[in-house]
Amino acid sequence: MNMALSTKHGLLALIGLILSCSTALAASDRLSLTGSSTVAPLLLEIGKRYESLNPAVRVDVQTGGSSRGIQDARMGTADAGMVSRALKPAEKDLTPFLVAMDGIGMIVHQSNPIKALSDTQIKAIYTGKINNWQQVGGKDQPITVVTKAEGRSTLELFLEHFELKNSQIKPQVVIGDNQQGVKTVAGNPGAIGYVSIGAAEYEHARAVPIKLLPMDGKPASVAAVAKGQYPFARELNLVVKGKPSKQLQDFIAFAQSAKVNDLIDAQFLVSPRTVTAKAKAGASVGASQAKQ
Amino acid sequence: MYGKPSTSRTDRWLAATLQLFTTITVLLLITIVGFLCLESWQLISGSGQNTGIFALLSGQDWYPLEGKFGMGPMILASLAVTFGAICLALPIGLACAICLQFYASRGIARWFELALILLAGIPSVIFGLWGLTRLVPIIGSWQPPGASMLAAILVLALMICPTVALTTTAALRALPLSLTAGSEALGLRLPTQIIQVYLPAARSGIISGVLLATARALGETMAVLMVAGNVVQNPSDLFSPVRVLTANIALEMAYAMGDHRGSLFASGLLLTALVWILSLWANRASGQRLLRAPYV
């Protein structure tokens, strides 16, 4: 993904160079976004579509983590930062614009009789303290712990949610992307894993033998994430310092419109507009959206 | 350069063109290795507790986000998986080639060779997908979790077996007819001819085929990534999951930054070095045998 980003970036830089050489105006029609690698692929796609609709504008996307997104937006080195969480109280100088939501679902094999697991139980399973389903009320079957490879944002959110360090997790299988996780769990009746909720729902609807477990008694579904009722989720934001420029305002409006819903779905993220506008969905960003 | 400079214009043109292409190939290789060194230099040359080449090679813990970059278990896993796959694929591949060349009827041999070529051409991700959805559950129902070193070895062996079989067939086919005539004249039985005459004579060709297969196994990424389980630990038994170097790069590169990224480039450098050592060694082995073999 980085490769794709950097290639794209290189191309854009080249195009930008050519444009800035030919017309002095080109530079002002360039939007730079930096930050979280979870948000970047989505914004890259949204940027491409925006560019095709507004040929004069170039959208430049670079990764570097949420903290870089915050920093660049503050310092003005980027027009907007990409941040894969809600803003902290100390970051109130920035205005967030919610683009999408990312939820994580715990999945087990469909044949597994387990109905739900508490946070403590999941933590014990992942740290190797519980290694048989019998210990949490299931069949006498060893547990296969499936976790994500280091650096993945899903892992990051998982660790953060359960307050774990990666070295504490004792996995049997380490996976890369969501699809691999779903297939691994589907092929192993004793497995437990976590993947983006969109990916799990998609595969489940296509009769892949997996089961999404509820978290804190809340059913795991894209709709629940969009309503803000699911505890294991986070916001994907664009953050801006001060008043955004006309160009940026237009881009943000586009990124928040229904015109990008298919792009959000394709990344297995959740559009905050999945439910009707009346729902609480945009509450956290309602204020900023209302301004426009 | 060998031989005297030719006076023919075509010859000079050809020589110049070949030199140009050779230089480009060498330069490309140097650029790649140089790039790998550059990207990983900070980590390799580091003198901290968790950096420096020694810590990288011998370290047991791979938690890049916590600053631990030990690649020891992954190096061992890469070697063990490759070795296991070769151990399986070599006898089967040899048997296939011998059968194809000496025992199968003409019609069967043609179809069998076609099947081998097809098998050799299947993209590795298909093998991986098959392994993940079919092979891993079978192993898992017997020895959970299923995703294991055994699964990786089996998938890899299946992948490289046709390579071994096809290169061996080609090597056997290239033997001079005088060998067959000579062994027939001595009244040797077919098995004796094969074991005592043809296989030793075709040795260098077989060895280069095995080298090709080994390099493919060592460098294979997707198929192993999907079935090996990818847990960073020393390969202890066949049923426990392992992570190989290539899978490590593929799993983490997209999201790596800073030292983490550097450590992945270091594993790339290490893989290059491994393949290099392997080919150097195989080259010498086949060269020496070539000199000793009285037939060629």
Side-chain angles (χ1 to χ4, degrees):
Chain A
M1 202 154 289
N2 247 359
M3 301 281 251
L5 286 179
S6 57
T7 316
K8 167 98 180 168
H9 175 221
L11 255 177
L12 283 177
L14 198 67
I15 293 168
L17 195 71
I18 295 165
L19 283 179
S20 58
C21 288
S22 51
T23 62
L25 276 172
S28 65
D29 290 347
R30 213 174 135 181
L31 293 175
S32 61
L33 315 170
T34 63
S36 158
S37 60
T38 320
V39 197
L42 175 66
L43 262 300
L44 197 62
E45 292 302 317
I46 294 179
K48 271 187 206 159
R49 186 167 288 179
Y50 188 76
E51 283 172 3
S52 67
L53 296 173
N54 305 276
V57 186
R58 296 289 149 205
V59 182
D60 183 2
V61 179
Q62 281 183 40
T63 55
S66 293
S67 39
R68 180 175 166 199
I70 299 272
Q71 199 188 345
D72 284 0
R74 262 193 189 141
M75 308 287 289
T77 26
D79 294 311
M82 300 176 286
V83 180
S84 58
R85 54 175 167 79
L87 287 183
K88 293 172 185 164
E91 295 159 352
K92 285 296 173 213
D93 54 322
L94 300 168
T95 320
F97 296 90
L98 185 67
V99 177
M101 302 281 290
D102 181 20
I104 291 178
M106 301 296 311
I107 53 171
V108 294
H109 194 266
Q110 196 149 46
S111 68
N112 196 323
I114 291 286
K115 291 269 187 300
L117 290 170
S118 70
D119 279 11
T120 335
Q121 283 172 325
I122 293 175
K123 210 169 157 173
I125 288 173
Y126 269 83
T127 48
K129 292 191 189 86
I130 293 179
N131 53 28
N132 195 304
W133 285 109
Q134 217 167 21
Q135 291 166 269
V136 288
K139 287 185 279 190
D140 179 18
Q141 190 173 37
I143 300 178
T144 299
V145 174
V146 182
T147 188
K148 287 229 171 186
E150 197 122 0
R152 304 261 165 178
S153 56
T154 330
L155 169 70
E156 206 178 292
L157 179 54
F158 181 85
L159 295 177
E160 191 186 310
H161 183 85
F162 290 105
E163 293 169 350
L164 287 169
K165 276 203 319 190
N166 197 27
S167 46
Q168 290 174 287
I169 293 185
K170 302 279 172 278
Q172 270 81 50
V173 179
V174 178
I175 51 153
D177 57 19
N178 291 319
Q179 246 71 13
Q180 197 190 354
V182 169
K183 287 202 172 63
T184 303
V185 174
N188 187 332
I192 181 168
Y194 55 92
V195 292
S196 266
I197 238 168
E201 237 183 35
Y202 176 90
E203 299 281 339
H204 184 67
R206 271 149 197 79
V208 174
I210 55 163
K211 191 160 77 174
L212 269 158
L213 293 179
M215 296 289 293
D216 291 351
K218 307 282 189 329
S221 71
V222 167
V225 173
K227 281 184 208 152
Q229 292 169 347
Y230 185 68
F232 201 178
R234 61 176 162 180
E235 303 175 355
L236 306 184
N237 284 310
L238 274 178
V239 301
V240 178
K241 186 171 172 72
K243 197 179 177 324
S245 68
K246 266 261 154 44
Q247 191 63 68
L248 188 59
Q249 266 180 25
D250 189 51
F251 176 74
I252 291 174
F254 178 76
Q256 287 186 323
S257 71
K259 289 173 202 154
V260 299
N261 274 6
D262 57 320
L263 300 178
I264 295 178
D265 290 345
Q267 305 271 344
F268 299 116
L269 300 172
V270 181
S271 161
R273 294 167 300 278
T274 305
V275 285
T276 53
K278 280 180 219 153
K280 264 181 75 184
S284 58
V285 287
S288 55
Q289 275 174 330
K291 267 190 239 162
Q292 297 185 37
Chain B
M1 292 298 296
Y2 297 107
K4 291 172 195 146
S6 170
T7 46
S8 151
R9 252 185 92 180
T10 330
D11 270 10
R12 268 181 290 152
W13 268 108
L14 185 66
T17 321
L18 290 180
Q19 274 173 4
L20 180 72
F21 282 125
T22 319
T23 319
I24 291 176
T25 316
V26 173
L27 279 181
L28 260 179
L29 186 67
I30 293 175
T31 320
I32 291 173
V33 173
F35 176 70
L36 286 176
C37 289
L38 193 73
E39 289 282 342
S40 54
W41 185 246
Q42 201 184 353
L43 210 65
I44 293 180
S45 63
S47 53
Q49 194 197 341
N50 292 316
T51 54
I53 190 148
F54 185 72
L56 289 185
L57 293 182
S58 65
Q60 294 293 307
D61 292 318
W62 175 265
Y63 296 109
L65 294 186
E66 294 166 27
K68 293 176 185 157
F69 303 105
M71 292 176 194
M74 289 187 276
I75 300 169
L76 287 182
S78 270
L79 294 176
V81 167
T82 307
F83 181 73
I86 285 292
C87 282
L88 271 184
L90 183 60
I92 300 176
L94 277 184
C96 284
I98 290 169
C99 174
L100 196 64
Q101 189 66 6
F102 300 109
Y103 289 98
S105 72
R106 234 208 169 118
I108 292 177
R110 240 186 77 199
W111 285 108
F112 189 44
E113 193 170 357
L114 267 179
L116 280 180
I117 292 172
L118 186 70
L119 200 59
I122 292 179
S124 61
V125 66
I126 310 271
F127 281 102
L129 204 59
W130 172 81
L132 180 60
T133 55
R134 293 285 172 270
L135 187 64
V136 168
I138 293 173
I139 300 176
S141 64
W142 171 37
Q143 290 279 349
S148 57
M149 197 159 96
L150 179 67
I153 288 176
L154 289 177
V155 167
L156 272 185
L158 192 64
M159 272 182 58
I160 61 176
C161 189
T163 313
V164 176
L166 288 172
T167 48
T168 306
T169 312
L172 289 173
R173 211 166 270 169
L175 292 178
L177 263 177
S178 57
L179 274 187
T180 327
S183 10
E184 288 284 349
L186 286 172
L188 299 176
R189 287 177 309 136
L190 186 55
T192 320
Q193 287 180 22
I194 294 170
I195 294 169
Q196 301 287 344
V197 182
Y198 304 139
L199 284 185
R203 204 149 39 182
S204 74
I206 296 174
I207 288 178
S208 45
V210 170
L211 164 70
L212 201 69
T214 313
R216 190 175 178 198
L218 198 62
E220 178 48 43
T221 309
M222 273 324 284
V224 182
L225 171 68
M226 290 168 102
V227 302
N230 305 319
V231 178
V232 182
Q233 58 184 5
N234 282 315
S236 51
D237 66 295
L238 280 174
F239 300 105
S240 53
V242 292
R243 184 187 298 188
V244 299
L245 282 171
T246 48
N248 188 44
I249 300 176
L251 271 174
E252 301 187 354
M253 188 50 106
Y255 304 91
M257 285 174 296
D259 274 356
H260 186 190
R261 199 173 132 90
S263 68
L264 294 182
F265 276 103
S267 34
L269 193 63
L270 193 66
L271 264 175
T272 317
L274 279 179
V275 173
W276 209 347
I277 292 169
L278 198 74
S279 53
L280 211 69
W281 172 66
N283 205 359
R284 277 187 56 184
S286 66
Q288 280 169 0
R289 295 217 169 104
L290 203 67
L291 286 180
R292 246 185 275 140
Y295 318 104
V296 191

